[in-house]
Amino acid sequence: MDENHIVIAGLSEAGHSFIRTLQFRRLKFIVLTNSKAKEKRLRKQGIPDVLYINTNNRGSWQPPDVPIREVFIFESSLALSCRFVQCCRPWTSKSIYVITQQWNPRAIYKGLGANHIVFSQTGEVGFLLSSK
């Protein structure tokens, strides 16, 4: 595959909405999850590119076999979102976005390697794709 993929992690309702936006725009993407059950559910929903990551085992954090365009992490918890940033940062020099409803963790995410912290009450960030 020569087309770059968008990586999505931390699937909240906003994350699922973002996936629908990507599907509508026919953009290639991979969903990261740290739950085998969620991986199975996503595949049943017709999302073929799901990558299970054991967030407690850094040795298992292998990058996908495709070029990464950008990473979007939808904050579900501070700890999990931090793990996803730590996991994805070595995979790409491209932008990592963390979408959060909290103001406080911005410095933490930046310190871990996120490029952009997007504060959103609704989680709607499809506008970030407008120039792509």
Side-chain angles (χ1 to χ4, degrees):
M1 291 183 214
D2 52 271
E3 188 174 337
N4 291 345
H5 285 60
I6 294 170
V7 174
I8 304 139
L11 288 183
S12 58
E13 181 53 41
H16 285 286
S17 175
F18 190 67
I19 286 174
R20 288 188 293 274
T21 299
L22 295 174
Q23 289 171 323
F24 178 77
R25 293 186 183 194
R26 297 178 190 243
L27 297 172
K28 301 281 186 185
F29 64 92
I30 296 171
V31 178
L32 296 185
T33 181
N34 70 332
S35 162
K36 287 282 193 183
K38 185 162 259 193
E39 175 188 20
K40 198 177 220 180
R41 210 171 323 126
L42 289 165
R43 289 186 192 283
K44 280 185 179 179
Q45 292 172 358
I47 298 172
D49 295 322
V50 181
L51 182 60
Y52 169 77
I53 297 291
N54 180 346
T55 52
N56 294 320
N57 179 3
R58 288 178 186 253
S60 72
W61 296 357
Q62 298 303 312
D65 294 334
V66 295
I68 296 173
R69 174 174 149 175
E70 297 168 294
V71 177
F72 291 87
I73 299 170
F74 292 84
E75 183 184 63
S76 53
S77 78
L78 177 64
L80 182 57
S81 298
C82 287
R83 286 292 178 135
F84 280 131
V85 172
Q86 289 175 314
C87 175
C88 295
R89 181 71 287 164
W91 295 356
T92 183
S93 60
K94 306 288 181 170
S95 291
I96 295 179
Y97 295 84
V98 177
I99 296 82
T100 179
Q101 294 182 345
Q102 309 296 319
W103 284 103
N104 299 334
R106 291 185 319 202
I108 295 169
Y109 293 134
K110 286 274 192 180
L112 292 172
N115 302 91
H116 308 283
I117 307 344
V118 180
F119 177 78
S120 173
Q121 287 293 337
T122 64
E124 181 54 47
V125 293
F127 66 91
L128 294 172
L129 298 169
S130 63
S131 64
K132 310 293 185 235

